[in-house]
Amino acid sequence: MNQSQQTIEPWLRGIIRCPQCKGEVVDSVDPTGGADVTELRCDTCHLAYPVEGGVPVLLVDLARRTDG
Ligand SMILES: [Zn+2]
């Protein structure tokens, strides 16, 4: 019973873009969120979007700033 993977579906990962700048995002791990918290980081906007249960939350309001 180990179904709670944080991985994103490949087809979905391929079409994900930053909702703010429409640029590509890179896989990252939230250093403040514990061991296996995945996020998608935009180095252009200095924002990191959380991934909850394998579902990316592409909302600027919920993104974590990475330049602070
Ligand atoms: Zn961006």
Side-chain angles (χ1 to χ4, degrees):
M1 299 293 281
N2 190 14
Q3 300 288 324
S4 61
Q5 295 184 359
Q6 287 284 337
T7 51
I8 303 168
E9 296 281 345
W11 66 267
L12 179 61
R13 182 65 187 85
I15 62 174
I16 293 173
R17 293 292 183 273
C18 172
Q20 182 162 275
C21 71
K22 310 303 182 188
E24 290 191 13
V25 291
V26 296
D27 295 316
S28 184
V29 174
D30 184 354
T32 67
D36 293 323
V37 178
T38 308
E39 61 185 12
L40 296 170
R41 193 181 74 234
C42 176
D43 289 330
T44 303
C45 303
H46 300 287
L47 292 172
Y49 303 94
V51 178
E52 297 181 356
V55 180
V57 183
L58 297 173
L59 297 172
V60 175
D61 287 346
L62 296 180
R64 182 177 66 82
R65 295 200 63 86
T66 60
D67 61 352

